[in-house]
Amino acid sequence: MLKVRLIPCLDVKGGRVVKGVRFVDLRDAGDPAEQARLYDAAGADELCFLDIAASHEARDILLDAVSRTAEQCFMPLTVGGGVRTLEDIRRLLLAGADKVSINTEAVRRPEFVSEAAEKFGSQCITIAIDARRTPEGFGVYTHGGHNAAGIDAIAWAQRMAALGAGEILLTSMDRDGTKLGFDLDLTRAVVDTVPIPVIASGGVGTLDHLVDGVRQGHAQAVLAASIFHFGEHTIAEAKNHMKAAGVAIREPPAP
Amino acid sequence: MPQVAIIDYGSGNLRSAAKAFERALDGKGEVAVTAEAAALAHASHIVLPGVGAFADCLRGVTALPGMVDALRRQALEGGKPFLGICVGMQLLADRGLEHGDHAGLGWIGGEVRRLEPRDPTLKVPHMGWNEVATAAPHPLFEGLSNAHFYFVHSYHFVPKAAAARLAVTDYGGGIAAAVGRDNLVGTQFHPEKSQSAGLRLLANFLRWRP
């Protein structure tokens, strides 16, 4: 049976980790590749790099980190942030990313999603949707949650799937950074209407939140950042907790 | 010492496959990523990776001068251990039904069809780590009983002969996780993305004497 994926996410800025694990045995805690290596050894199911500045100047540093990660990590790596052209995707995939996540550019030009899926295959196209509650339901936001796109998030997710997205990375901007748990209504509403896998994101503060995202949110994967970053929890603790709660999860490697 | 040839026909990420083989070899052999048909004559093991669509991948392989003939000579007739990964495995079928009806290499009888899991809550693509059970003991899976491997695919190989289905995974019904016969094997999952289980499988492939 297919297992739920637990995906740690590293925020990267200027090619350096800005929010990441405070592992004691890191030679260089700011190096995404170093952190990736430890998550790989810990049995993370996938890893996500989010380039939060996505500046042109720092792009080569990010590509270098992706290629160094791919050299020593044998797990899937998704890279997002600033993906605007087919050439951006090509460079990330050649560097060793397995998937790219696209957000603002999909809103600006939805046909970019079908172009990307046709060229590289749906399996490597993740659509990141940042959503907030609105009086009407859930709305799509861009630019890190600042700009309302004026689109219904559920309809948008369906459209993205129809255009060839391989999965959806769904972040509640209301919950992101709050540690109050996923927006389960949002998660369930999207998961139950799209035919492709959904990663729940935004708000994880406890291990129970991970369980809730799966059992109540119906998500195929759960993404968390801060609970792993400051040594609050390890991947193994999270997985063991989810397993004990009845979630089908791949066991962490024996210590 | 194994000399691994990974066929480069412009498909996706060959770097991870090459790096995973290098790790599995641990210095005791060499890996060459090559688009040259002639290079297969010097190889001891041949690997056909693949991500993307069936027809695109097939077009990529056939566009390399002499490559299909060389594969046939070295692997199908010559008996060198051959591993197809994901779409590289699907290309061994008689036909692929992704975006049309396309003839495959026809090395292992069967066809490649869209996943239609019986449980409607199961998503397509089948994406993530799934447990793999072998149909009968096979050297490729030595030490890997019911191990988890990473899958990402929307189409699956349905072999004609039950014996060609070397391993199965469950996704709303049993689907082929690995197919093979004689010196030919193929995995639907990505061993190069499957952490220690994947590296073990690659090491098994390198030790295999079919």
Side-chain angles (χ1 to χ4, degrees):
Chain A
M1 130 180 243
L2 182 67
K3 303 302 185 288
V4 166
R5 288 172 282 151
L6 176 62
I7 308 176
C9 179
L10 298 175
D11 284 356
V12 178
K13 190 176 178 181
R16 305 284 295 168
V17 177
V18 288
K19 250 183 5 184
V21 192
R22 286 191 185 157
F23 286 121
V24 284
D25 50 346
L26 278 189
R27 281 170 299 191
D28 177 0
D31 180 4
E34 276 281 289
Q35 300 224 353
R37 191 173 55 79
L38 289 161
Y39 276 124
D40 189 41
D45 295 315
E46 287 186 18
L47 188 64
C48 183
F49 284 178
L50 183 61
D51 188 1
I52 56 172
S55 67
H56 266 300
E57 301 73 43
R59 209 57 175 174
D60 288 340
I61 310 171
L62 177 73
L63 288 167
D64 174 63
V66 169
S67 73
R68 283 184 298 113
T69 300
E71 280 179 19
Q72 42 185 337
C73 293
F74 303 105
M75 69 173 157
L77 173 66
T78 302
V79 183
V83 176
R84 293 185 184 91
T85 64
L86 295 177
E87 179 61 15
D88 289 339
I89 299 175
R90 197 185 67 84
R91 290 179 75 195
L92 284 168
L93 296 178
L94 280 179
D98 297 285
K99 300 185 254 188
V100 296
S101 107
I102 305 170
N103 185 345
T104 301
E105 190 63 16
V107 174
R108 206 180 69 80
R109 209 167 65 80
E111 62 274 19
F112 177 54
V113 176
S114 50
E115 289 164 17
E118 270 164 39
K119 178 130 185 89
F120 303 105
S122 292
Q123 84 289 333
C124 66
I125 306 300
T126 299
I127 297 299
I129 300 179
D130 291 347
R132 275 186 196 282
R133 286 179 181 251
T134 63
E136 295 79 35
F138 299 100
V140 175
Y141 281 72
T142 59
H143 300 87
H146 292 299
N147 301 359
I151 308 170
D152 174 68
I154 318 299
W156 180 244
Q158 286 175 304
R159 181 159 181 219
M160 290 296 96
L163 286 178
E167 73 177 338
I168 284 168
L169 167 55
L170 178 66
T171 303
S172 162
M173 299 311 288
D174 297 317
R175 292 298 177 90
D176 202 33
T178 64
K179 294 191 164 251
L180 295 171
F182 297 117
D183 185 329
L184 297 171
D185 296 332
L186 167 71
T187 307
R188 193 170 46 241
V190 171
V191 173
D192 289 354
T193 48
V194 296
I196 56 177
V198 176
I199 306 168
S201 155
V204 173
T206 70
L207 299 182
D208 281 330
H209 290 156
L210 298 171
V211 175
D212 295 343
V214 177
R215 302 195 69 163
Q216 296 177 51
H218 303 171
Q220 281 70 44
V222 283
L223 180 139
S226 56
I227 60 163
F228 299 125
H229 293 162
F230 303 108
E232 284 169 48
H233 295 291
T234 63
I235 293 289
E237 281 165 14
K239 289 192 156 200
N240 290 332
H241 185 86
M242 292 171 81
K243 185 162 189 268
V247 173
I249 190 117
R250 188 174 63 114
E251 286 189 28
Chain B
M1 297 250 287
Q3 304 285 320
V4 182
I6 300 178
I7 316 289
D8 175 9
Y9 57 95
S11 155
N13 183 13
L14 299 166
R15 189 191 186 103
S16 23
K19 292 293 167 190
F21 269 105
E22 278 169 17
R23 180 70 65 89
L25 280 165
D26 194 22
K28 300 174 192 72
E30 280 172 14
V31 181
V33 173
T34 181
E36 300 292 324
L40 301 196
H42 313 294
S44 62
H45 294 72
I46 300 171
V47 179
L48 185 63
V51 293
F54 186 95
D56 281 347
C57 287
L58 193 65
R59 225 177 351 255
V61 180
T62 50
L64 299 178
M67 186 55 85
V68 172
D69 280 344
L71 282 169
R72 206 175 288 280
R73 224 167 24 249
Q74 299 296 330
L76 186 65
E77 293 157 12
K80 288 181 181 175
F82 171 95
L83 172 66
I85 299 175
C86 197
V87 183
M89 162 263 220
Q90 295 182 350
L91 294 182
L92 304 182
D94 297 319
R95 58 201 278 251
L97 302 173
E98 183 174 8
H99 305 314
D101 187 342
H102 310 278
L105 295 172
W107 292 8
I108 293 177
E111 54 186 45
V112 177
R113 298 183 199 149
R114 179 147 181 104
L115 279 172
E116 288 170 342
R118 282 195 295 266
D119 176 351
T121 66
L122 292 178
K123 308 293 187 182
V124 177
H126 171 215
M127 188 184 284
W129 297 80
N130 206 334
E131 206 170 352
V132 170
T134 46
H138 189 284
L140 195 64
F141 287 95
E142 199 192 314
L144 292 168
S145 138
N146 297 319
H148 285 84
F149 293 93
Y150 190 84
F151 289 81
V152 51
H153 63 122
S154 299
Y155 287 77
H156 67 129
F157 196 131
V158 183
K160 235 181 246 161
R165 198 158 85 157
L166 300 181
V168 185
T169 194
D170 177 41
Y171 197 59
I175 57 174
V179 298
R181 65 175 176 88
D182 308 316
N183 59 309
L184 312 173
V185 288
T187 61
Q188 180 60 70
F189 53 82
H190 288 272
E192 78 281 14
K193 291 288 153 193
S194 298
Q195 292 174 342
S196 58
L199 295 175
R200 173 72 196 259
L201 183 134
L202 296 183
N204 287 347
F205 171 70
L206 294 168
R207 267 198 305 273
W208 185 34
R209 298 284 173 268

